[in-house]
Amino acid sequence: MAAEPAGTTTSVEAILAATRAVIAEQGPGKVTMSAIASAAGVSRPTLYRWFPTKDHVLAALSDYESRLFETRLQALVDAERTPARRLDAALRFLVTYLDGLMGPNPIAADPAFALANLAASLGPQTTTFARLVGDALDRVPAVQAGRLTRDQAADILMRLAISNYLLPHPDQEELVANIRGFAGLPRRSITRAAG
């Protein structure tokens, strides 16, 4: 992707968000540049100015999704003052972020692509989660006892989020409560934002 002049970030983000929506609906193999341009509400020349090929769009999409994960999680943990509240907000985020990012069922459109995308994002997002949540992960009983590191606890929590996305729990609030209990928090929310 070319460097973005001032004021174009919104257009590029609109293109990438639209690409995700088109992929969720059609699968990446059937996505065309025309479909992306139409979904993003931009002309094809504008699309080609930023992304000369579909492969360029797909590569940029991965970076875009990593940035979204980080900025959304950062905003949540920054809003909380105590480690327990940061962890609580981060756990709710983990249970819900994939639905908002990828939509309700991108697996149906192209299972191989969706699973590869989830697998490729796991490592970087786990690292981001561990870094941003930081000392709040020390509240996890297995971390307190020295049986897990913060990074290992973050990995388990990320894998729980992905497994919930692939096989959704019938009651999301119950799942969040269960994860809170696993993480050494009260089963009821303690964050203002999570309510």
Side-chain angles (χ1 to χ4, degrees):
M1 180 170 79
E4 298 170 21
T8 60
T9 303
T10 302
S11 294
V12 171
E13 287 182 359
I15 290 167
L16 294 173
T19 301
R20 168 51 63 207
V22 172
I23 287 171
E25 183 180 310
Q26 301 176 8
K30 296 180 182 174
V31 170
T32 65
M33 294 294 272
S34 293
I36 293 169
S38 177
V42 298
S43 67
R44 286 183 62 204
T46 297
L47 175 61
Y48 281 108
R49 184 175 71 213
W50 299 115
F51 304 102
T53 67
K54 183 172 84 168
D55 289 339
H56 285 94
V57 179
L58 295 177
L61 182 61
S62 178
D63 292 336
Y64 169 72
E65 290 173 347
S66 292
R67 285 192 315 272
L68 276 180
F69 178 84
E70 183 165 358
T71 57
R72 290 176 181 174
L73 180 59
Q74 182 77 60
L76 288 172
V77 298
D78 285 352
E80 302 300 341
R81 299 179 85 172
T82 68
R85 286 182 183 269
R86 285 196 312 272
L87 182 58
D88 191 35
L91 294 177
R92 175 166 291 283
F93 172 75
L94 283 184
V95 170
T96 60
Y97 88 98
L98 282 171
D99 287 332
L101 179 65
M102 296 180 77
N105 191 11
I107 303 296
D110 188 331
F113 177 81
L115 293 172
N117 192 6
L118 288 170
S121 66
L122 177 63
Q125 288 181 350
T126 298
T127 299
T128 297
F129 186 81
R131 177 176 49 82
L132 294 180
V133 178
D135 66 342
L137 288 165
D138 294 341
R139 295 192 56 88
V140 175
V143 175
Q144 286 178 352
R147 292 189 301 272
L148 291 177
T149 65
R150 289 178 185 175
D151 291 339
Q152 290 166 330
D155 181 69
I156 290 169
L157 293 168
M158 288 297 304
R159 289 175 186 276
L160 281 170
I162 290 171
S163 69
N164 178 59
Y165 182 67
L166 296 173
L167 300 167
H169 192 284
D171 182 343
Q172 194 167 13
E173 290 305 314
E174 182 180 342
L175 176 63
V176 173
N178 291 342
I179 294 172
R180 282 187 188 112
F182 169 80
L185 295 172
R187 287 179 47 85
R188 293 184 53 139
S189 177
I190 58 174
T191 62
R192 292 175 300 272

